[in-house]
Each structure stands twice: as C-alpha cells, then as structure tokens.
C-alpha cells in the first residue's frame, strides 16, 4: 500500500514537472485562424492549380506556392538546402508497332492492340503458331496437352467456353485472363495473342504515369512476355472463318492444341517519357533535442481534370490538410522567433502522388531525409475542412474530428492527444474507425500508413466522407473554416507536446 502510494505521488510530481517544462502554446495556436487558412486554400484549390494532378503544371504551381509561404514564414528548407524532395515518374508511349501474318499487314488499334504490361521493345518472327482454344488448364482439361510451347507464339480466345464451370473465382481462377496469361508464360511462350471481340482503346493503354526507381522499370518488364489482343479481322484473314465458327469448332472439327504453319512478324517499340515531381519539406529546427523529430504531413496533390477539362478542385481532399500544414509551420516558426521554439525539430511535409497510390510518402519513408527511428511521430491530415455524412445532422457537427491510429504502435499517443484536446480545444474525438474490423480501412488509406509500416507512431486526422468526395464539387465555398481551424489547432497542440516533452514516444505496441 505504502509503496503504491509513494509511486502515485512520484508520478504526480513527475507529470507536474514535465508539464512545467513545456511552454504554453496558446498564443501561437491563435496564429492558425479560419481567415489565414481560407486565404491559402483559395489559391491551393483555385482554378490556376487545375486540380493538382501528379504530375501536372498545376501541381508544380502548388509546390511553388507552398515553398514561397515557407520562406515568408522563416521555415527552413528541409532537404539539405532544398525545399523539394524530388523523385521520378515514367510513362510508356508507343512509337510504333506492327503485326504481319503471311501477306497480311494488320493495323494497330483496328486489328490488334498491346496489353497493359509490355517489354519496351519487341521484334519477333515465327514460322508457326499454336492455337490452344481458350488456353485453360484445370483439373479436368489441359488445352496445352501434348505440345511444347517453349519459344513459340501462343494464341488463345478470351473468356471461357459456354457452360464452363470452375470452383475457383477471381484473378487465379483457371479461366481468368490473368491466370491464362500466367499459364502461357510459365510454359515458356515467347509471345501471346489473345482473340477478343473488342480491342482496348488507344487511350486506355499506357496513358498513366508510374513511379519508377532506377532500374525498377526494367526489372518489371523483364518478367513480361509480349502480349497483344487481336480481333475477328485477324482471325478471318488467317483462318478464313469468323469468330463464332472458330468457337463452335473447338472440340469438334478442331482439336486443340493446334499447330499451324504461318509467317508471322511482330514488332513493338516504346519510349519512356519521364517526369519529376516533389514532396515539399520545410523544418523548424529544434533546440536541445534537435536530432529528434516530429513530422506533420498532408498531401498537396489531387486528381486533376477529367477528359472534358473539368477541374477536380480537391479543396477538402487534401487542400485542407495542405494549408493546415502551412499554417502550423508558420506558427512553429513564429514561436521559435519568440524564443519558444520546439525542443525537437518539427518537419512539415506536403507530399504528392497520394491519390495515385501514396507515392510521395512511400518515397520519403524509403528515402527518409531524417532517420525514422528518431522521428517520434507522424501526424497526418487528410480532409479536415468539412462535416462528413455521419455528423451533418448531429449536435457535434461543428465540433468533432475522427482520429485514427492513436491506439496502435505507442500507448503514449492517445493520452497526449486527449490531453491536448481537453486543455485547449474540447473537440469530440471520434475513434470509430480505430475498430480493426471497420470495412473502410482508413488506417491503410493515406500517407501516415507508410510511416506506420516503418514503426513510426501515427495519428490520422479526418472529417469523414461527404457527397463531394472525389468530385469536381469538392470546392472552397463548401469548407467550414472555423471548424477546420479548430482541428488544425488540435494537431498543432498535439505536435507541440510531442516536440517538447522529455522523451520520444515509446514504441510498445505492435501494428495489427
Ligand atoms: Zn486525400
């Protein structure tokens, strides 16, 4: 009893002393205002930024604006003298392709088209092809029975024969396109032609940028066998039959696999066009613990424009997080100027490529500028400017935020957040998405996850989804700036505590 009593006193005194050391953030919190957030968001989510697609000129304009504001506020460049952490994207553009069978020259996109993943260059000649029907291998049938397709050209029909049944469904089902291509590759086919009624359009092919790290693109291609779709025109010219006759003949007049003589030439050439994009990183340097860090993140990219040129403004997603990070950086820089700077270095990072697959945060967490084991926590904001569907009619509608992840990786997170909230803001902290069974899986869906994966404790701040989510109507006029300022202030006060407390957050919980 006595021992516990003393321990209790000890804890109390310890907390008291700790609290004494941390300076009061109140006057700096007030720097983050509805008005200042609105001023920045009008620009970040304005017409000029064209929806901030990754990559795009609008994205670069947004990066320039963030950097300009960092400079103005006295926030230092965070990547060895630069505000940018740059990485490369690549896109294949087809510069030529041809298909010739005996005397017939076929026309690209009218008669044949390349599949999604192709080697950058193909120039192949065959004196025969092997038609394997639907190209199915399962426990009952083997369309490749008795022939060796190694180094040969394999042709099969898309889909499955009428009445075909398999217990398996999805990607790995015997008749799935993915699995049929995989089978042909495993058997050593040198090229594959797939007969389809309709060809994929020119637009759907190779129109997207991918993240490339040096050499990675080539490795991906080395795994791939050239695969083209051909349509009925080709079938008719080569066999003299239309598609339905061929289909009906399988298993009756035509037994498969069928080896046929023909002179076939196949060529294909692409150029990789590269683009550079950047994460924007600013820092406010710490004092006595400057080699430890707190990182605050949001993504400044959105989804750009549609084919008709309609802009997806992304005011909430994630213009709201971007301008909040900017204003927090401003507030920390002002605190430092006033002699109340953070003990740990605070990193302010707006990342790009989030909408494409969390690219920017993946790049940073694989190439961290500051050691992740010295990064106490990541506080990530993705959408904090709106009232989500579930609160629109609630009495808490203008006084809540979803917090996600503060029950994982560190038992320090939730008490710090609760304390910062109780002391300054008193928002309703909704933790419903912390339920590991929640089907939305928000914990895995924004940039904080790339930090969590590497063991950095994270909290994700979020307003929930609304009808304008990923629509052109996610615009500035629908933002509740008063509410957004409160939420940004909560993140600021939480960061303040993490940056100033004696110890880094302990990492005592496993990532589920
Ligand atoms: Zn987002």
């Amino acid at each position: 009893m006595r021992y516990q009593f003393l321990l209790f006193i000890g804890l109390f005194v310890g907390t008291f002393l700790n609290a004494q050391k941390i300076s009061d953030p109140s006057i700096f919190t007030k720097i983050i205002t509805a008005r200042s957030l609105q001023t920045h968001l009008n620009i970040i989510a304005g017409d000029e930024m064209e929806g901030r697609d990754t990559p795009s000129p609008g994205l670069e304009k947004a990066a320039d604006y963030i950097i300009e504001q960092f400079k103005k506020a006295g926030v230092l460049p965070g990547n060895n003298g630069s505000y940018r952490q740059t990485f490369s994207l690549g896109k294949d553009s087809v510069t030529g392709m041809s298909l010739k069978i005996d005397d017939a020259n076929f026309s690209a996109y009218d008669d044949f088209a390349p599949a999604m993943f192709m080697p950058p260059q193909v120039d192949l000649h065959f004196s025969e092809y092997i038609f394997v029907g639907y190209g199915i291998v399962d426990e009952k049938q083997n369309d490749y029975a008795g022939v060796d397709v190694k180094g040969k050209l394999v042709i099969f029909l898309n889909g499955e024969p009428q009445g075909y049944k398999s217990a398996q469904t999805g990607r790995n089902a015997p008749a799935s396109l993915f699995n049929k291509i995989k089978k042909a590759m495993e058997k050593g086919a040198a090229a594959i032609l797939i007969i389809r009624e309709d060809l994929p359009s020119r637009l759907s092919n190779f129109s997207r940028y991918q993240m490339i790290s040096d050499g990675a693109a080539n490795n991906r291609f080395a795994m791939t066998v050239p695969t083209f779709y051909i349509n009925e025109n080709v079938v008719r010219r080569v066999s003299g039959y239309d598609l339905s006759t061929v289909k009906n003949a399988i298993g009756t007049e035509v037994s498969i696999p069928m080896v046929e003589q023909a002179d076939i030439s196949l060529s294909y050439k692409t150029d990789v066009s590269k683009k550079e994009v950047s994460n924007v990183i600013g820092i406010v340097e710490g004092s006595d613990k400057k080699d430890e860090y707190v990182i605050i993140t949001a993504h400044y990219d959105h989804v750009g424009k549609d084919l008709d040129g309609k802009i997806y403004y992304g005011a909430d997603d994630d213009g709201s997080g971007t301008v909040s990070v900017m204003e927090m950086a401003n507030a920390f820089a002002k605190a430092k100027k006033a002699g109340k700077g953070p003990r740990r270095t605070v990193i302010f990072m707006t990342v790009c490529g989030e909408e494409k697959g969390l690219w920017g945060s993946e790049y940073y967490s694989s190439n961290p500028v500051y050691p992740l084991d010295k990064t106490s926590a990541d506080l990530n904001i993705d959408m904090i400017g709106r009232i989500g569907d579930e609160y629109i009619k609630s009495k808490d509608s203008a006084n809540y935020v979803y917090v996600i992840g503060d029950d994982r990786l560190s038992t320090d997170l939730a008490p710090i957040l609760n304390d910062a909230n109780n002391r300054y803001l008193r928002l309703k902290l909704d933790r419903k998405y912390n339920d590991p069974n929640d089907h939305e899986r928000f914990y895995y869906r924004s940039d904080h996850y790339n930090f969590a994966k590497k063991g950095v404790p994270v909290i994700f701040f979020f307003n929930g989804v609304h009808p304008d989510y990923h629509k052109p109507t996610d615009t500035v006029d629908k933002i509740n700036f008063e509410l957004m300022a409160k939420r940004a202030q909560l993140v600021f006060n939480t960061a303040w505590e993490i940056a100033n407390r004696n110890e880094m957050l302990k990492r005592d919980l496993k990532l589920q």
Side-chain angles (χ1 to χ4, degrees):
M1 281 301 281
R2 198 182 156 91
Y3 178 70
Q4 283 206 346
F5 179 69
L6 280 176
L7 185 69
F8 175 73
I9 297 278
L11 277 174
F12 182 78
V13 172
T15 311
F16 181 72
L17 287 177
N18 195 36
Q20 285 279 296
K21 272 200 198 113
I22 296 181
S23 52
D24 185 351
S26 301
I27 54 166
F28 305 108
T29 308
K30 286 180 193 135
I31 292 169
I32 303 165
T33 61
R35 212 191 148 94
S36 64
L37 293 167
Q38 185 164 17
T39 305
H40 293 314
L41 195 61
N42 277 329
I43 292 163
I44 289 291
D47 284 321
E48 214 198 331
M49 305 298 176
E50 297 182 306
R52 310 183 303 281
D53 195 16
T54 309
S56 71
L59 185 80
E60 294 313 308
K61 278 182 199 164
D64 288 340
Y65 180 75
I66 298 162
I67 291 168
E68 189 188 310
Q69 297 307 311
F70 277 175
K71 276 186 190 157
K72 250 190 218 169
V75 176
L76 300 175
N79 184 19
N80 303 305
S82 169
Y83 287 101
R84 286 176 181 264
Q85 183 190 39
T86 300
F87 57 96
S88 301
L89 306 178
K91 180 171 89 163
D92 300 317
S93 13
V94 182
T95 53
M97 62 177 141
S98 68
L99 171 65
K100 191 175 177 218
I101 303 179
D102 293 329
D103 297 328
N105 267 305
F106 294 100
S107 137
Y109 294 106
D110 293 326
D111 304 317
F112 72 104
M116 275 303 280
F117 296 105
M118 291 280 290
Q121 200 159 344
V122 171
D123 193 3
L124 292 167
H125 303 275
F126 299 96
S127 56
E128 61 183 24
Y129 64 84
I130 301 170
F131 178 58
V132 293
Y134 285 91
I136 293 172
V137 180
D138 63 14
E139 57 282 355
K140 280 187 243 124
Q141 81 185 72
N142 178 3
D143 290 349
Y144 291 84
V147 295
D148 182 4
V149 300
K150 203 159 195 187
K152 303 284 173 68
L153 172 66
V154 166
I155 303 181
F156 59 75
L157 289 155
N158 192 32
E160 58 202 34
Q162 239 180 5
Y164 177 83
K165 275 206 179 68
S166 165
Q168 238 181 314
T169 55
R171 211 167 117 92
N172 289 314
S176 83
L177 182 62
F178 172 81
N179 191 58
K180 294 199 307 188
I181 294 173
K182 200 173 106 196
K183 269 275 140 30
M185 283 170 67
E186 281 167 9
K187 290 181 182 294
I192 304 166
L193 299 181
I194 303 167
I195 304 166
R196 260 171 68 144
E197 269 91 357
D198 53 335
L199 297 174
S201 77
R202 208 178 284 261
L203 268 180
S204 67
N205 266 290
F206 303 100
S207 54
R208 291 199 183 104
Y209 276 95
Q210 299 291 332
M211 196 171 157
I212 46 170
S213 44
D214 300 325
N218 291 333
N219 287 341
R220 175 168 64 95
F221 290 135
M223 303 286 293
T224 312
V225 169
T227 305
F228 291 84
Y229 297 109
I230 54 176
N231 64 11
E232 191 169 21
N233 298 344
V234 180
V235 175
R236 211 183 290 119
R237 286 286 290 277
V238 173
S239 71
Y241 298 107
D242 62 22
L243 202 46
S244 57
T245 312
V246 173
K247 283 181 180 174
N248 290 333
I250 292 172
T252 54
E253 293 105 89
V254 174
S255 63
I256 50 164
M258 185 175 91
V259 182
E260 283 288 303
Q261 307 301 309
D263 268 330
I264 302 167
S265 304
L266 199 55
S267 79
Y268 175 79
K269 202 170 162 2
T270 56
D271 270 345
V272 177
S273 47
K274 280 196 177 178
K275 278 262 159 67
E276 311 250 89
V277 291
S278 330
N279 296 327
V280 175
I281 311 175
I283 58 165
V284 171
E285 215 171 25
S287 53
D288 63 316
K289 290 181 183 288
K290 72 175 167 50
D291 295 330
E292 293 177 358
Y293 309 91
V294 181
I295 186 162
I296 307 176
T297 52
H299 70 90
Y300 73 101
D301 68 300
H302 192 53
V303 299
K305 294 184 284 189
D306 64 14
L307 290 174
D308 304 326
K310 197 177 272 175
I311 297 173
Y312 287 58
Y313 291 95
D316 190 26
D317 186 9
D318 184 24
S320 63
T322 301
V323 301
S324 297
V325 170
M326 288 161 64
E327 277 306 276
M328 276 184 255
N330 181 29
F332 267 108
K334 293 240 162 74
K336 189 170 167 80
K337 270 183 209 146
K340 297 278 169 69
R343 297 175 70 193
R344 290 184 181 80
T345 298
V346 185
I347 308 163
F348 304 92
M349 177 163 75
T350 59
V351 298
C352 66
E354 192 272 353
E355 303 285 7
K356 297 290 159 69
L358 314 185
W359 290 346
S361 53
E362 184 188 323
Y363 188 81
Y364 181 90
S365 67
S366 308
N367 305 274
V369 182
Y370 304 95
L372 295 176
D373 60 352
K374 292 284 171 200
T375 303
S376 189
D378 167 45
L379 303 180
N380 184 50
I381 309 171
D382 192 354
M383 299 166 63
I384 58 162
R386 295 274 297 258
I387 298 165
D389 287 343
E390 291 169 51
Y391 276 86
I392 205 82
K393 287 191 179 120
S394 147
K395 66 175 167 48
D396 290 318
S397 67
N399 202 47
Y400 82 96
V401 65
Y402 291 108
V403 295
I404 299 168
D406 70 335
D407 60 340
R408 302 183 200 193
L409 294 165
S410 176
T411 52
D412 289 334
L413 274 174
I416 290 172
L417 174 62
N418 286 339
D419 189 54
N421 185 50
N422 293 338
R423 227 187 291 184
Y424 307 108
L425 275 313
R426 291 185 195 86
L427 287 163
K428 179 182 170 190
L429 305 183
D430 190 330
R431 292 180 164 95
K432 81 169 248 194
Y433 293 121
N434 272 346
D435 181 348
N437 296 320
D438 187 79
H439 69 281
E440 293 281 9
R441 293 171 59 81
F442 286 125
Y443 190 75
Y444 308 94
R445 285 175 52 187
S446 186
D447 296 300
H448 53 275
Y449 183 58
N450 280 320
F451 289 90
K453 265 200 314 207
K454 300 273 167 101
V456 180
V458 307
I459 309 177
F460 169 31
F461 297 86
F462 176 52
N463 53 220
V465 293
H466 47 72
D468 299 308
Y469 174 73
H470 279 215
K471 297 221 173 77
T473 48
D474 177 6
T475 48
V476 178
D477 58 297
K478 293 184 181 137
I479 298 289
N480 183 329
F481 285 100
E482 295 295 331
L483 175 57
M484 181 170 150
K486 278 198 255 180
R487 289 163 172 166
Q489 288 171 353
L490 173 66
V491 182
F492 176 80
N493 284 311
T494 308
W496 184 278
E497 169 68 27
I498 296 171
N500 283 304
R501 68 205 295 273
N502 286 334
E503 302 298 326
M504 276 183 57
L505 303 191
K506 56 180 176 294
R507 301 181 178 188
D508 56 343
L509 295 176
K510 282 230 156 61
L511 186 64
Q512 302 119 333

